[in-house]
Amino acid sequence: MATVPLPTRPRPATPETALPPSNARRKAPTKHRRPGSGREQLSGWGMIAPAAVLLLAFIFIPAILGFGLAFTNARLISPRPVEFVGLDNFARLFSDPTFYRALLNVAYFTVVIVPVQSGLALVMALLINKKFRGVNFFRTVYFLPVVTSMVVVSLLWLFMYRKDGLINEILSAVSFGLIDGPDWLGDPNTAMPAIIILSIWQAAGFHMIIWLAGLQGISGELYEASQLDGTSRWQQFRYVTWPGLFHTRSLVLVTITIQALGLFDQISVMTQGGPMDSTTTIIYEAVQSGYRQQETSYASAISLVFFVLVLIVSAVQRHLTREKD
């Protein structure tokens, strides 16, 4: 007798049958380029193009030309062709006593103005960092000399420094005629101090803003914690404010030093390097040689030496004010 097979129930599909085969390749995700990115790049290059052209035309190309002219005998107007003279301009420069006098004047100016101006600017920043009525007025008054042209300021102080000027009149009035003020810009002993006073008055407001930005970047919680510990104001400044101004004071010292080494406007307007070369500077000597004496190559040599000096001073100053572990 034949047997009839029993009906079997169909098996459900296993998860393996639903998975794709192992050898199936996955498609790499396609990168969709954002529409307009090329146009944005062109717009960005177009925005920086004017500044790049100005830097190239007035900074980089003159620097390269100045470096090359320092080793030639080029003059501003001369029928003679330009010839390579090697180190003759530098030999002449280092044997010129006026150069060493200018170097000494710049060193004297820098050594005095860097600590005095930075300290005065810090005091001014501490005074206007408080919240009181009329603080914006004092901020404006302190910063006003900065926005005034140095030429205008120099002309103003030129009249004040005269023998019969405002400063001597004030000294005479305060002392009841006992003090007869000197000829500030005509005396070699007082000409450079007069320039220093003017420079500090004009530029202290700029560095005051830098100090103020650093002060406002210090967390107020540090001052609250120090007050809870019962510290005095001097201790707060010493252990909270001064360490918090580390990067700010490095910036202030470097900027003041570079500006001091490049002293020129006040000298050109007020003293023309006199009296007896007591206020002449390196930049003033370079301008005098290059334009008035038309010795372009010699002026380029002076400028190159000045660049190296600024680079060395900035590097040393940066090394001394670096953050130590």
Side-chain angles (χ1 to χ4, degrees):
M1 183 174 179
T3 60
V4 179
L6 295 177
T8 58
R9 182 178 297 177
R11 295 180 180 181
T14 58
E16 288 79 2
T17 59
L19 295 174
S22 59
N23 59 353
R25 295 182 179 179
R26 296 181 179 179
K27 293 183 178 181
T30 58
K31 297 182 179 180
H32 298 282
R33 189 175 182 180
R34 189 175 60 179
S37 59
R39 186 179 301 174
E40 291 178 357
Q41 291 181 359
L42 290 177
S43 300
W45 284 109
M47 291 180 181
I48 68 173
V53 171
L54 292 176
L55 287 175
L56 185 65
F58 295 101
I59 300 297
F60 295 107
I61 293 179
I64 296 174
L65 292 177
F67 180 82
L69 290 176
F71 300 92
T72 65
N73 62 346
R75 295 181 63 89
L76 192 61
I77 300 176
S78 175
R80 298 175 55 186
V82 178
E83 297 178 357
F84 179 79
V85 296
L87 300 177
D88 290 351
N89 290 322
F90 297 96
R92 173 188 170 187
L93 176 63
F94 291 119
S95 61
D96 187 3
T98 306
F99 170 73
Y100 292 101
R101 183 59 188 270
L103 190 63
L104 181 62
N105 292 335
V106 170
Y108 169 47
F109 181 84
T110 304
V111 169
V112 174
I113 204 171
V114 169
V116 176
Q117 183 171 309
S118 58
L120 178 61
L122 178 58
V123 172
M124 293 164 59
L126 291 172
L127 292 176
I128 65 173
N129 193 34
K130 307 295 182 180
K131 293 182 179 180
F132 58 90
R133 189 174 181 180
V135 64
N136 292 329
F137 170 77
F138 290 100
R139 292 180 179 180
T140 304
V141 171
Y142 292 160
F143 191 74
L144 188 60
V146 180
V147 299
T148 308
S149 172
M150 177 57 78
V151 176
V152 176
V153 172
S154 299
L155 289 174
L156 176 64
W157 282 73
L158 178 62
F159 290 103
M160 294 173 58
Y161 278 138
R162 292 174 57 179
K163 183 66 176 179
D164 55 348
L166 178 62
I167 295 179
N168 287 341
E169 292 294 332
I170 294 177
L171 291 176
S172 178
V174 171
S175 63
F176 301 101
L178 297 178
I179 298 178
D180 186 15
D183 185 6
W184 294 93
L185 300 178
D187 189 348
N189 297 322
T190 58
M192 184 57 77
I195 298 295
I196 291 175
I197 295 173
L198 158 66
S199 303
I200 293 175
W201 177 84
Q202 193 273 338
F206 174 76
H207 299 96
M208 175 199 69
I209 297 298
I210 301 178
W211 284 119
L212 183 62
L215 290 173
Q216 295 181 351
I218 302 175
S219 176
E221 297 178 355
L222 299 176
Y223 292 101
E224 295 177 359
S226 62
Q227 290 177 356
L228 293 176
D229 293 338
T231 58
S232 61
R233 290 185 177 273
W234 167 248
Q235 290 174 333
Q236 287 183 3
F237 176 81
R238 180 179 179 182
Y239 297 107
V240 178
T241 304
W242 188 245
L245 294 174
F246 175 79
H247 297 287
T248 304
R249 67 173 180 261
S250 299
L251 175 62
V252 169
L253 291 178
V254 170
T255 53
I256 294 179
T257 303
I258 294 177
Q259 291 176 356
L261 293 175
L263 175 65
F264 171 74
D265 293 339
Q266 304 93 305
I267 304 301
S268 179
V269 175
M270 303 178 70
T271 63
Q272 293 79 43
M276 299 174 61
D277 293 331
S278 61
T279 60
T280 187
T281 62
I282 301 177
I283 297 296
Y284 184 78
E285 284 297 311
V287 174
Q288 285 286 101
S289 301
Y291 290 98
R292 295 190 178 181
Q293 301 174 10
Q294 299 185 2
E295 297 183 6
T296 310
S297 58
Y298 187 64
S300 299
I302 297 176
S303 301
L304 185 58
V305 172
F306 173 73
F307 170 75
V308 174
L309 289 175
V310 172
L311 194 63
I312 293 174
V313 172
S314 300
V316 172
Q317 195 174 50
R318 180 61 181 171
H319 176 73
L320 295 177
T321 59
R322 73 188 187 279
E323 187 174 3
K324 301 180 181 179
D325 297 335

